Amino acid sequence: MGLDLMLFMADWKCLSAIPVEKRIEALADAALWPPELDSANDAGGRSGGWVWLPDRESAWCAEYDFFTTTGAFRPHARAGDAWADMRPLVDVCVRDAMDTFLIDLIWDANPEDDPALTGGGEFFPAPTDRWHPRVLLVCPPEALPGKARAWTQVASRLEELRDPFAAECEGWAGRPDTFEDFTALLREWGDVTTEAARRGWGLVGLP
């Protein structure tokens, strides 16, 4: 899966004002720094993992730069596959909360129902086929509060996933290299969903 992941937190109201066929282009353009702003990250453009344009107060989106990956989508897909493998061994309370947290981000209970395949309920243009996605994930604002609550339920119980991870994922190709790698990525997604929920914004992942 040789795809990159550009993850955006975006104001759905501002995106709604852009024609559907131009919304992906608008997000991609927002990630392009003008040459004169090459040093903006060093001048306060970064907050946590979020990268903002200098005029932050009027910004309608921000890109998240994962600390634990090199920008590729593969680590996220591997983490989702790991969860699919281990979830039958996880306590039902933790499993249900983790399902809520991860679904439509890095895991799909039914891959055929992946919102990225339909453009997120037609909010974005749908791909011509699943092998050439226009978007990798779509999580609208109304889904984020539930995900943030689910994260608070599982954040303190991640250690309970260690044995299921060891039993089903450790040492297997196509899975996270270590349990620490797996949980570090989950914590970043926890930060992402919490911030998006706080703002009332949605999440979009572009290849």
Side-chain angles (χ1 to χ4, degrees):
M1 190 175 295
L3 298 173
D4 288 336
L5 172 65
M6 293 192 302
L7 182 69
F8 293 91
M9 171 178 65
D11 185 334
W12 242 235
K13 291 181 180 178
C14 290
L15 270 178
S16 296
I18 300 171
V20 172
E21 66 275 9
K22 294 184 178 296
R23 289 173 187 169
I24 292 174
E25 181 182 355
L27 284 168
D29 286 348
L32 298 176
W33 291 83
E36 65 271 19
L37 299 178
D38 281 344
S39 62
N41 277 348
D42 298 328
R46 180 182 299 277
S47 177
W50 297 105
V51 182
W52 296 86
L53 286 170
D55 189 8
R56 181 169 174 173
E57 294 305 314
S58 63
W60 56 272
C61 71
E63 184 181 359
Y64 187 81
D65 189 6
F66 284 89
F67 296 113
T68 52
T69 75
T70 59
F73 182 60
R74 185 182 299 272
H76 306 275
R78 285 179 169 177
D81 290 340
W83 174 244
D85 290 346
M86 73 174 76
R87 61 186 299 277
L89 303 181
V90 176
D91 176 81
V92 65
C93 293
V94 178
R95 183 173 68 235
D96 289 349
M98 190 69 79
D99 283 352
T100 298
F101 173 54
L102 293 182
I103 197 164
D104 298 336
L105 295 179
I106 62 173
W107 173 74
D108 290 296
N110 182 352
E112 297 302 319
D113 293 334
D114 183 345
L117 300 180
T118 61
E122 301 182 356
F123 194 78
F124 295 97
T128 54
D129 66 77
R130 67 180 303 133
W131 307 113
H132 298 86
R134 301 289 300 277
V135 293
L136 293 173
L137 65 92
V138 181
C139 189
E142 58 268 22
L144 268 301
K147 291 188 178 300
R149 288 192 297 270
W151 171 245
T152 62
Q153 294 173 26
V154 301
S156 63
R157 301 184 65 176
L158 291 178
E159 189 61 28
E160 296 178 34
L161 304 180
R162 184 179 292 276
D163 287 345
F165 181 92
E168 296 294 332
C169 307
E170 202 163 58
W172 285 93
R175 301 296 179 266
D177 291 336
T178 68
F179 178 71
E180 287 69 26
D181 291 339
F182 176 65
T183 54
L185 189 57
L186 292 186
R187 291 185 189 281
E188 288 209 70
W189 276 107
D191 291 343
V192 165
T193 56
T194 299
E195 179 62 15
R198 184 183 73 81
R199 289 178 174 271
W201 289 11
L203 296 173
V204 187
L206 301 184

